[in-house]
Amino acid sequence: MKGSNLFLTVCALVTLVSCSETHFKEDKIFAGGVYVTAKQLNDGKSLYTEYCMPCHGVKGDGLGVAAKGLSVPPRNFKLGQYKFGKVVSGELPHDQDFYDILKKGLNGTAMLPWDLTEQQAFNVVQYIKTFAPEKWEGADKKLGDVIAVGKDPYGAAHKESAIQRGKEVYHVVAQCWTCHRAYVPHAELSQIAQKINNAPMTEFDPDMYHVKLQPSDYDIATMPPEFTYDQVRSAATVEELYLRLNAGVGGTAMASWKGVLQDDEIWAVAHYVKSLMDMKRTPERKQFLENIKK
Ligand code: HEC
Ligand code: HEC
């Protein structure tokens, strides 16, 4: 009698433990041939549970207790979809892309920088892949091509002409303002249209000076930044903007411009966006926005 009670207790304990903790027992191979041991996954899980789970959730669904009320919700890792990889939107990012995000955080969001050792970063990045096994598991899975950032054809010496060209690309060639907003008055927009398309602009979208919420593949619609006010999450320099424009923002309306615009146009528009970002919290910003209304 006593013995069977003990047996039951042990069973209950074993079930409890195995329910609350799925210990990895086998090594895995992830996309791009990344080999991970069961120990590394278990270590990654411990670290995740301590640091990341409050936001990203026990199940990796982004529904952690600390996620409530965040205007930019934590990533749902079960989708196996990421915004800020250094690959064309929709492709799987490289481990290095995740390390960079962990190291720098994402400006203006609850995703802060993390001071992790190389081994810790490796382990936790491998662990978050286990939330989306159909995307990551298997030696046959491919990572996106790394987007190379070559030499800026304008450089500091030709910054002003880059900004001027970028303004034309932004407003007429690519029409970034259809989601973001326009930063030139009607008359100037019409002049640029005349120069680029040989035809002035005669009709103006009444919404062109507002940012517009866009649908996304995540659980919410996402807001394009107003560059003179909002934080750009993944880029602070012209090079980083060039990279982001080539990559796009995965799973959002912000598509990759690689191959859509010419390379020097992407550089020019990166300079232009940077010039708008530089206006943030400056006295000139107010005057700049006033002048657009004229
Ligand atoms: C305080 C909340 C919070 C904590 C804690 C947190 N994150 Fe995040 N994380 C976020 C938010 C919010 C985003 C989404 C940002 C966005 O969509 O722009 C995010 C996004 C991410 C992304 C997605 C990047 C992409 O390109 O889509 C990764 C990867 C990530 N976090 C990893 C981690 C890891 C690993 C930890 C623990 C070391 C962690 N996070 C801890 C809030 C948090
Ligand atoms: C179809 C709508 C759309 C168009 C067109 C568009 N964007 Fe975006 N853009 C977005 C959205 C939505 C986001 C926010 C994505 C997110 O973080 O959820 C965004 C984000 C960005 C970011 C911030 C990336 C970061 O790291 O936070 C930059 C820079 C940017 N866009 C530049 C541009 C430029 C330059 C153009 C034109 C060449 C352009 N966008 C055209 C919708 C658009």
Side-chain angles (χ1 to χ4, degrees):
M1 189 66 185
K2 260 189 183 166
S4 71
N5 260 345
L6 183 67
F7 178 72
L8 282 176
T9 317
V10 171
C11 275
L13 272 176
V14 168
T15 330
L16 245 176
V17 169
S18 60
C19 278
S20 62
E21 277 186 58
T22 33
H23 274 295
F24 293 94
K25 294 191 183 66
E26 280 169 22
D27 300 354
K28 289 184 192 289
I29 297 183
F30 289 130
V34 177
Y35 189 90
V36 194
T37 66
K39 165 138 193 350
Q40 288 170 322
L41 289 171
N42 287 317
D43 289 352
K45 183 182 175 179
S46 309
L47 194 134
Y48 178 90
T49 308
E50 191 172 346
Y51 296 145
C52 324
M53 192 180 77
C55 287
H56 291 283
V58 186
K59 298 187 188 125
D61 52 11
L63 300 176
V65 284
K68 285 205 189 76
L70 292 181
S71 58
V72 179
R75 187 72 61 256
N76 172 359
F77 294 133
K78 293 171 83 171
L79 301 174
Q81 169 127 263
Y82 312 90
K83 286 188 187 176
F84 302 107
K86 294 172 182 176
V87 293
V88 167
S89 164
E91 309 235 17
L92 288 181
H94 293 250
D95 287 355
Q96 187 61 49
D97 304 357
F98 288 123
Y99 302 155
D100 292 347
I101 291 166
L102 288 173
K103 197 164 170 201
K104 289 191 175 173
L106 294 167
N107 301 328
T109 78
M111 181 65 196
L112 301 175
W114 292 91
D115 188 13
L116 304 176
T117 65
E118 258 176 53
Q119 192 59 59
Q120 286 174 322
F122 176 87
N123 295 345
V124 79
V125 162
Q126 306 316 319
Y127 176 65
I128 62 176
K129 294 176 185 174
T130 65
F131 292 121
E134 68 295 343
K135 289 276 179 83
W136 285 102
E137 276 187 36
D140 56 322
K141 301 277 191 337
K142 298 252 181 314
L143 302 173
D145 291 335
V146 176
I147 292 170
V149 180
K151 195 172 176 308
D152 175 359
Y154 296 93
H158 302 282
K159 189 174 143 189
E160 286 314 315
S161 66
I163 293 172
Q164 202 49 41
R165 175 73 186 133
K167 192 202 269 185
E168 297 169 3
V169 174
Y170 184 96
H171 288 95
V172 171
V173 182
Q175 304 193 351
C176 311
W177 59 265
T178 53
C179 297
H180 296 268
R181 55 157 289 174
Y183 293 96
V184 296
H186 287 173
E188 188 176 352
L189 189 60
S190 190
Q191 280 163 16
I192 300 174
Q194 177 68 48
K195 181 176 168 195
I196 307 281
N197 296 336
N198 253 327
M201 198 178 264
T202 49
E203 278 178 45
F204 298 93
D205 182 338
D207 251 358
M208 75 188 323
Y209 297 114
H210 300 121
V211 290
K212 289 136 224 128
L213 201 61
Q214 299 295 319
S216 84
D217 296 346
Y218 302 97
D219 314 321
I220 56 147
T222 69
M223 196 61 118
E226 198 283 70
F227 301 111
T228 72
Y229 183 82
D230 296 310
Q231 304 238 43
V232 166
R233 293 178 198 167
S234 72
T237 64
V238 169
E239 283 74 18
E240 286 169 344
L241 284 165
Y242 169 86
L243 189 136
R244 186 51 50 216
L245 294 171
N246 276 286
V249 179
T252 77
M254 178 66 199
S256 159
W257 291 91
K258 197 175 161 66
V260 180
L261 295 175
Q262 286 164 18
D263 198 54
D264 68 300
E265 292 175 324
I266 299 183
W267 277 109
V269 86
H271 276 277
Y272 179 62
V273 169
K274 174 74 168 90
S275 74
L276 295 170
M277 286 162 66
D278 287 345
M279 237 177 280
K280 208 174 295 167
R281 286 189 226 99
T282 64
E284 293 81 54
R285 175 176 183 262
K286 191 162 173 256
Q287 194 55 52
F288 172 77
L289 294 178
E290 279 299 313
N291 288 345
I292 295 172
K293 291 188 199 136
K294 286 180 185 157

